[in-house]
Amino acid sequence: MKNVLRAFCFVLALLAAGGAFAHSRSGEGSHDGLPVPEISHGEMTVISDYRSRIMDLASTAADTNEPFRRVLNYAEIQYSYCLWGRIPGSVTDEESPFNECAHAYLAATKAVLLAMRGMPQETMAAGKIASAVDVDMVRRGLSLVTCRFSGEGFNTADVVRPRWSEIPLHPASMVSLTGFAAILAAGVFVLRRLLRVQSSE
């Protein structure tokens, strides 16, 4: 139940931040961080399928450096801002208010994978994942698929938030967030009831 309450508070914080910065990035105009190369729409579709494997390998990487850790941290931060990729269409639908932030965390994920190909202990495992990604892209015909965010590079000092003001105009996002909010509200209600019962005993 504590996890439900924490998730609820986190989403509320994101919504509050999103309302204040509906059309901007946190570091817009600031590029003091590290550049993260762009990712095409086709690439992100496949990288999203391999994200867990890439991040699991990165979390156990031995020979890391500061740039690698910063890009890895950026990938994790962006993933949470994008509500952990749970909104339908966030990766595949370029009209989704979550598509740009999905580009950001998947571009960082791709950068992490490519960096690990140059690490002595991770190069073999990273190479296998990269080869599988390449094969999947060709098999699914996604190599040349692009969208309006495909040429957009990112920066670790520049957090990309969902376009909150566009959510009411995107049915899939609206339905998902409404359902998510209802589940969290129910969880908080149950938690409060349990706490009341425990305090009365």
Side-chain angles (χ1 to χ4, degrees), residues 2-122:
K2 289 182 179 179
N3 289 335
V4 171
L5 184 57
R6 287 173 185 163
F8 182 67
C9 292
F10 180 74
V11 171
L12 286 180
L14 285 181
L15 289 172
F21 300 96
H23 295 289
S24 66
R25 299 182 181 184
S26 67
E28 190 152 307
S30 172
H31 295 286
D32 296 330
L34 300 174
V36 177
E38 71 276 1
I39 186 171
S40 72
H41 195 72
E43 283 181 305
M44 66 184 285
T45 300
V46 178
I47 288 289
S48 66
D49 292 339
Y50 289 86
R51 181 188 176 278
S52 294
R53 287 177 59 184
I54 295 169
M55 301 306 282
D56 286 347
L57 180 61
S59 68
T60 61
D63 187 21
T64 65
N65 53 33
E66 184 182 354
F68 175 82
R69 291 190 293 271
R70 288 173 67 183
V71 175
L72 177 60
N73 185 55
Y74 178 74
E76 293 284 18
I77 290 171
Q78 278 295 160
Y79 188 55
S80 64
Y81 264 93
C82 208
L83 299 187
W84 308 280
R86 300 301 184 190
I87 305 301
S90 59
V91 172
T92 57
D93 182 5
E94 70 173 295
E95 299 303 322
S96 169
F98 292 84
N99 190 244
E100 186 178 18
C101 72
H103 269 266
Y105 81 75
L106 290 169
T109 302
K110 175 187 171 184
V112 166
L113 174 62
L114 295 180
M116 288 192 294
R117 294 180 71 180
M119 296 180 180
Q121 295 186 42
E122 286 72 39

Side-chain angles (χ1 to χ4, degrees), residues 147-158:
C147 73
R148 57 178 171 155
F149 300 119
S150 290
E152 181 177 352
F154 301 95
N155 190 284
T156 58
D158 191 3

Side-chain angles (χ1 to χ4, degrees), residues 178-189:
T178 300
F180 187 48
I183 292 171
L184 287 177
V188 171
F189 175 77

